[in-house]
Amino acid sequence: MKVGVIGSGPIGLYAAHQLVKEGHSVTLFERASAVAGNVRSWGFVRLFSQLDLNVPTAVLATLEAQGCSVPALTEFITGDDFVAKVLEPLAEWLKASGKCELKLGCEVLGIGRGRFLKSDAIAATGDKRRIGKPFRVVFRDTASGKEAAEVGFQAMVDASGSYNAATGNRVGVGGLAAPGERDAEACGKLRRIIPDVKGADQQLVAGRRVAVIGTGYSAITCLRNLCDLAKQGGQGAPSEVFWLTRSPASKMPYSIMENDPLPQRSELAKFGNQFVNTSGNAENPWGSTKFEYVPAMAITAIEQESPDGCLRLALELGEDGDKERHIEVDALVSLTGFHPDKEMWSEIQVHMCYASDGPMKLASSLLAAKLAMEGDPAAAGDCLSQAAPGPQTLLNPEPDFYVLGMKSYGRNSTFLMRVGYEQVDLLMEQLKQDGSSN
């Protein structure tokens, strides 16, 4: 059958690989001009899990059969190496298969089902007319701006992820955009994708005051890189670094897991706590750059006198926000997580979780798993303890429409690449169970 796959990252490429192996015809849509556009945006970052957790066995077998030189499975490779040594060769295999068309530079704008409106043919009322009707995909060529439509898809897979500046969570109180936030982003002083401060983006921070907001591993990776620059000294070092978090002042931002199976992750967490312990000290291990940790804060406004001027951050401090402070910075790096772009689904029937913005069946399963593990703090905080739930959790009210990968987790930040691969395997199981592969 003809299947549309949106997104040519690790999960989208694996889905296409498995579908082609089963004899299906695949059209792969990618907004970027080259495969794995999202991965390329953090290509300088080194993965903190070994390659064997990030490449499925079936893909390894395909690449080895093609004579590709794949890094050792025990290596911790960068995003750039992942693209060059795994994802690009896999895309070349897909193109050579004759069963997969790669539409690069094609942004999917919307998905429809036959001539049905969203409110038509509701399965919960016993109406089965949507089953078997072809999907229509409207997309835009990002180079020319020209829009077009393609029809005839018997199944659709959205594996486009949510790692994008447009879907980065806002920095204001309660998740809203703070007044002035849009202007700060428009002039390039607010970034939502981890910057390469030791490379292509060093001018963003060299000799400048920088604030980093967030407590995820992207945030602490950025902070560690800033500390490395400070330790080196010279003109490339930032003059001042603020780490802004919502974490209570009474506890460390990271819990350290004993015998963490991902030692690089553990080292990042330890570094974050070390940063807190040395914050504000006259002497720190990172040279003359001043570092400060600001917990229990919320940004109420971002002020800027001119596009070239500094950002003045208005903060509420404390659990009740009863204190105020203003900080002036030249750059604000917001690494506060992401939420899915649901616009392309707006005219088909997808049941969304009101809390996570993920598809409801999977969101319910993730919440149940979280509650079940609350008695085991180590398990509850460890993404490696996850496994993809059964194939039923992939189903939506819209028949034959699937959301896989990071986007399927909505705002939940515990997604692991391995789980996305397991979702693909469950998808193939579901297609066979439905008889759709015949």
Side-chain angles (χ1 to χ4, degrees), residues 170-186 190 192 298-305 310-316 326 332:
R170 307 298 101 169
V171 305
V173 178
L176 300 173
E181 182 173 345
R182 294 175 181 84
D183 291 339
E185 185 173 16
L190 187 156
R192 302 190 194 277
I299 297 178
T300 59
I302 301 175
E303 302 166 358
Q304 190 176 15
E305 292 185 0
C310 69
L311 304 178
R312 190 167 188 261
L313 310 181
L315 307 181
E316 284 183 355
H326 289 84
L332 173 61

Side-chain angles (χ1 to χ4, degrees), residues 162-175:
S162 52
Y163 190 81
N164 185 279
T167 53
N169 294 333
R170 307 298 101 169
V171 305
V173 178

Side-chain angles (χ1 to χ4, degrees), residues 138 155 159 268:
V138 176
L268 283 171

Side-chain angles (χ1 to χ4, degrees), residues 285-308:
W286 304 302
S288 60
T289 300
K290 178 182 177 182
F291 291 89
E292 184 177 355
Y293 176 58
V294 185
M297 70 87 227
I299 297 178
T300 59
I302 301 175
E303 302 166 358
Q304 190 176 15
E305 292 185 0
S306 70
D308 296 328

Side-chain angles (χ1 to χ4, degrees), residues 188-397:
K189 292 184 178 293
L190 187 156
R191 302 286 186 93
R192 302 190 194 277
I193 299 296
I194 183 171
D196 184 5
V197 298
K198 296 165 73 173
D201 298 312
Q202 188 168 359
Q203 289 305 309
L204 178 71
V205 303
R208 299 179 183 275
R209 300 162 295 180
V210 182
V212 177
I213 179 171
T215 52
Y217 289 101
S218 291
I220 198 60
T221 296
C222 184
L223 284 165
R224 187 171 66 174
N225 289 343
L226 288 168
C227 289
D228 288 345
L229 284 175
K231 192 182 299 185
Q232 293 171 11
Q235 295 182 344
S239 62
E240 194 169 5
V241 175
F242 298 93
W243 184 15
L244 311 178
T245 81
R246 296 190 305 126
S247 300
S250 59
K251 60 181 294 187
M252 286 293 178
Y254 296 99
S255 298
I256 307 301
M257 294 173 54
E258 284 190 35
N259 302 315
D260 191 334
L262 300 177
Q264 280 73 11
R265 176 178 62 181
S266 181
E267 288 304 310
L268 283 171
K270 291 175 181 177
F271 177 84
N273 291 345
Q274 178 192 7
F275 187 105
V276 172
N277 287 329
T278 58
S279 171
N281 291 353
E283 294 184 7
N284 68 64
W286 304 302
S288 60
T289 300
K290 178 182 177 182
F291 291 89
E292 184 177 355
Y293 176 58
V294 185
M297 70 87 227
I299 297 178
T300 59
I302 301 175
E303 302 166 358
Q304 190 176 15
E305 292 185 0
S306 70
D308 296 328
C310 69
L311 304 178
R312 190 167 188 261
L313 310 181
L315 307 181
E316 284 183 355
L317 300 178
E319 292 184 8
D320 298 324
D322 53 352
K323 299 178 182 178
E324 295 182 356
R325 180 181 175 183
H326 289 84
I327 293 175
E328 291 189 350
V329 298
D330 301 297
L332 173 61
V333 181
S334 172
L335 301 173
T336 54
F338 300 87
H339 57 270
D341 178 3
K342 308 182 293 293
E343 182 62 28
M344 69 175 70
W345 313 335
S346 62
E347 294 304 320
I348 57 176
Q349 297 174 356
V350 182
H351 188 191
M352 306 300 299
C353 173
Y354 56 83
S356 72
D357 280 340
M360 180 58 85
K361 286 191 174 183
L362 178 57
S364 298
S365 177
L366 291 173
L367 177 59
K370 178 182 178 183
L371 293 175
M373 290 191 297
E374 281 190 342
D376 182 357
D382 184 12
C383 57
L384 283 180
S385 64
Q386 300 177 78
Q392 290 296 312
T393 61
L394 302 180
L395 301 181
N396 287 288

